[in-house]
């Protein structure tokens, strides 16, 4: 059988081509990361501070500076249910735009959960199972992370409970059914089941919820139940690590396509899909390669473009370690946009560090623009993008249009992190003309930033 | 890069391995098919009778006895957006069942519409476009066909209108949004927009609709508008033909897997996914190969297991040519099960012929059993099957369990025609314990069969 050639639409790898290890950017950063701090003492948090939440193997990955960390066979076996994922050349979109640019997209929607999230969910479930843990609790925004962990729990015969941000729970009822199909339970957050949830509901009975609140609830349950660990779908170093299979595959696929990206666009919420795609390329950027890397976020939650780099809590109830990250403040409540997965006040410390070092750029887009781009994409390439992924799609289309005007023959890579099959209610609202472009007034952002914790040193 | 090996989970082909032609079983049938008859005269229907509905190229394919018909480059280019589709070895399901059988599934859910339907939708849109037609009208049950044609219309810049069976329109609201994302319009059937629809609504204002009624509406609109052609997603010979890319790919993939199926299970509604998978294998069966082929249908619409082989109309309003097929009678109204794509009174003439010749078997399954199998599949293999495809899944699981008991090391092939991402409301009802197993009383079937048209000769 022939292998892929540069005239193909999809650049495919076989299972034998799958990366045997995750790539760890901590081995190659020009300067070290700032350590997480204990929320009580303000001192650097050690393994013992994290062990009520995570198994030791993941804690070690969180701080490791080894360049490569082997992917266990059991995790690889599950990856093979949908990996390697395809890299597409968007020939129809290029033609439609009349651009001289070459547009590529790396598509993570082939996983049964429909997004990149299982890349880390499977690994986390596995390491917990090996450590003797049979019950996981987590939070989810749009439901992509919750679905991914639900599926991974099924594969390793574990119980999974998901606190889902209430606004998404209501917008996306079928996500709950999906989690249930994989055997997990899913409840709207804030809930009456935790101290953190009850406190919020007392202050604001109609709370739409937020990822920050849902994290507080999940963390509280993990800390108070010895049979239960917590699992986080983004932000942390080990999550970024697990996602690097995306970028490593893409690099091999660009060899088949006989080109190399000049610019990469990925959407950012907590940062994991973006990091997974760009970190392997970032190594080459650090080594001197000329490549632009752009994080695209919603104007309704402008963490990189309007937030600040500071130590902050990962959650609303101030129960997580303090992390040095771009943040809008842990009390910031993002508007109820449809890209629920991007409604997070903070940004992964690794992504924040890269931004601080000037190695990545950031831009923000309003939601009507991203749906416009998504529909253009669907009508040319077929795939209906998830609203989150549509941020990268729109930014990539804008770049291709600029190339049409300038005549530049750039190679553009878009991170298409998932499909929109569970987001059709959002498309429905878009077609009905009911979508609003939220932009928080600066005073609201300043107010949240004024509540950042004070950290000595 | 290495190619697939027999220890893989997925057996993948490259775009260069795609079949260059569709396979036409009419070249190899042991005896010829009975011709369609004109609904008015009862005489064999000629090309002129079909030309108000279809472009000449499709009419010629309908009667061709050429063994292979080349796939146009424009159609192949679109196929490459998701084809070749993977053949999976269901290693996790095998392990869970403790069976010595090897279970494989050919997965068509990688298309952006989520099923096998685009294989013919793209071809039909193309041939219409080439013939100067810019507007297509069709019907859809569960919405898979309507979505596929909507997407295909977008690729060839055509207007698409879809009459959707009302019970499915209400059960699956996001299917409509999906069709809209691809630029099509979708209305519930029976509607006030056609004579056929108005007649039904007058008799039964709360009609749940059926594929038979929706076909009548679509055909009426195509016949009465000269700028519009009709497109059918199943039943007809040219539709079966276009779907044979599935089975041809699977044959090549079994070479990679170094085995060959002993038994194949596919679900049947109109018969197209089943035919597409099995026809290339049927050629080998006719040539003497020992292979069992089983069509699985719902007990709520038992066309092969309780219907009769006779000339009948394809629709309720008696507007289509008469076809010699297995049928429950064109007035039969199947119960409102969730496998909307299988709610059709007739069966493709080709599939009916193969059944009549004893070359395929048929079995019927109730819907709670198929959801039970689907959940077992989802929790081991990840993919949540569409309720239609779940019929084949459940039958395949039952076979694997029999192998566990008998010790037989059979190779089982399941046709997994689509995913259930748009069917989560059905899973929700299943989990809530609200699903009912419909079985029509024999008297109801006899009553519908008594209204079959009388055909001379």
């Amino acid at each position: 059988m022939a292998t892929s050639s540069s005239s193909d639409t999809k650049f495919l790898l076989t299972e034998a081509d799958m990366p045997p290890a995750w790539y760890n950017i901590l081995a190659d950063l020009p300067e070290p990361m700032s350590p997480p701090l204990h929320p009580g003492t303000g001192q650097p948090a050690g393994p013992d501070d994290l062990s009520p939440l995570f198994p030791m193997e993941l804690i070690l990955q969180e701080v490791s500076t080894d360049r490569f960390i082997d992917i266990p066979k059991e995790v690889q076996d599950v990856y093979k249910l949908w990996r390697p994922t395809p890299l597409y050349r968007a020939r129809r979109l290029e033609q439609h735009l009349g651009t001289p640019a070459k547009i590529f997209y790396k598509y993570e929607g082939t996983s049964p959960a429909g997004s990149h999230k299982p890349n880390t969910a499977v690994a986390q479930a596995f390491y917990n199972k090996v450590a003797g843990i049979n019950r996981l609790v987590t939070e989810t925004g749009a439901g992509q992370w919750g679905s991914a962990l639900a599926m991974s729990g099924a594969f390793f015969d574990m119980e999974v409970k998901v606190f889902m941000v209430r606004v998404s729970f209501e917008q996306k009822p079928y996500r709950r059914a999906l989690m249930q199909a994989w055997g997990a339970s899913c409840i709207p957050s804030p809930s009456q089941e935790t101290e953190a949830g009850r406190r919020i509901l007392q202050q604001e009975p109609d709370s739409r919820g937020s990822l920050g609140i849902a994290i507080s609830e999940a963390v509280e349950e993990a800390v108070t139940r010895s049979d239960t660990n917590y699992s986080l779908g983004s932000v942390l170093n080990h999550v970024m690590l697990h996602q690097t299979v995306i970028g490593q595959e893409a690099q091999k696929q660009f060899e088949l396509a006989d080109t190399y990206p000049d610019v990469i666009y990925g959407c950012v919420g907590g940062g994991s899909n973006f990091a997974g795609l760009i970190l392997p390329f970032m190594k080459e950027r650090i080594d001197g390669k000329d490549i632009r890397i752009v994080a695209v976020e919603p104007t309704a939650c402008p963490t990189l473009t309007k937030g600040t780099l500071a130590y902050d809590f990962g959650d609303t109830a101030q129960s997580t370690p303090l992390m040095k990250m771009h943040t809008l403040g842990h009390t910031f409540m993002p508007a109820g946009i449809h890209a629920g997965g991007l409604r997070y006040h903070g940004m992964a410390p690794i992504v924040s560090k890269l931004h601080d070092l000037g190695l990545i750029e950031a831009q923000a887009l309003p939601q009507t623009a991203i749906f416009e781009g998504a529909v253009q994409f669907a009508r040319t390439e077929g795939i209906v993008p998830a609203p989150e992924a549509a941020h990268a799609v729109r930014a990539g289309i804008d770049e291709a249009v600029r190339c049409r005007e300038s005549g530049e023959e750039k190679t553009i890579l878009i991170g298409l992190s998932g499909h929109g099959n569970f987001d059709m209610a959002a498309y429905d609202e878009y077609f009905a003309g009911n979508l609003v472009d939220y932009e928080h007034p600066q005073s609201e952002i300043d107010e949240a930033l004024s509540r950042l914790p004070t950290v000595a040193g």
Side-chain angles (χ1 to χ4, degrees), chain A residues 297 302-308 326-328 439-440 442 445 449:
Chain A
E297 62 186 10
T303 314
L304 284 173
T305 52
K306 294 203 175 168
T308 191
H326 260 275
T327 179
L328 292 160
E439 198 158 339
H440 293 271
Q442 189 61 43
I445 294 171
L449 289 177

Side-chain angles (χ1 to χ4, degrees), chain A residues 20 70 83 107 119 143 184 186 195 248 263 269 323 345 358 376 421 438 451 455:
Chain A
D70 286 346
R83 304 208 71 86
Y107 182 43
N119 296 331
C186 173
E195 191 56 43
Q248 290 185 77
V263 54
M323 285 172 294
H345 68 276
Q376 209 168 16
N421 290 1
Y438 298 96
R451 301 193 193 187
V455 175

Side-chain angles (χ1 to χ4, degrees), chain A residues 77-91:
Chain A
D77 281 349
V78 177
Y79 279 177
K80 288 176 184 172
L81 291 174
W82 71 91
R83 304 208 71 86
T85 63
L87 176 75
Y88 278 85
R89 171 85 183 268
R91 297 182 191 276

Side-chain angles (χ1 to χ4, degrees), chain A residues 259-329:
Chain A
T259 181
Y260 197 83
D262 296 301
V263 54
I264 306 179
Y265 290 96
C267 66
V268 283
S272 78
N273 125 74
F274 175 76
L277 177 66
I278 68 106
L279 289 181
F281 291 96
M282 180 55 71
K283 162 131 181 59
E284 306 199 330
R285 167 101 162 74
I286 291 170
D287 291 346
K289 195 131 188 171
D290 182 22
I291 178 170
R292 270 184 69 212
I293 299 178
V294 186
V296 190
E297 62 186 10
T299 49
C301 192
T303 314
L304 284 173
T305 52
K306 294 203 175 168
T308 191
L309 184 64
Y311 269 106
D312 195 8
F313 295 103
D315 70 330
T316 308
Q318 313 188 351
S319 57
T320 72
L322 293 163
M323 285 172 294
K324 183 86 173 278
M325 59 182 179
H326 260 275
T327 179
L328 292 160

Side-chain angles (χ1 to χ4, degrees), chain A residues 139-144 162-180 184-191 193 207-210 214 336-338 340-341 343 422-423 425:
Chain A
E139 75 291 327
T140 198
Q144 291 189 330
V162 181
F163 289 93
M164 186 168 181
V165 175
R166 188 176 294 269
V167 59
S168 292
F169 187 90
E170 285 160 7
Q171 279 173 351
K172 301 168 204 287
Y174 297 147
R175 275 281 177 193
R176 178 182 43 71
L178 183 62
M179 293 182 224
Q180 206 173 352
S185 64
C186 173
I187 61 167
S189 165
S191 78
E193 301 201 10
S207 169
R208 287 189 309 250
S210 72
I337 54 167
H338 280 285
R343 293 179 70 242
F422 294 98
D423 303 288

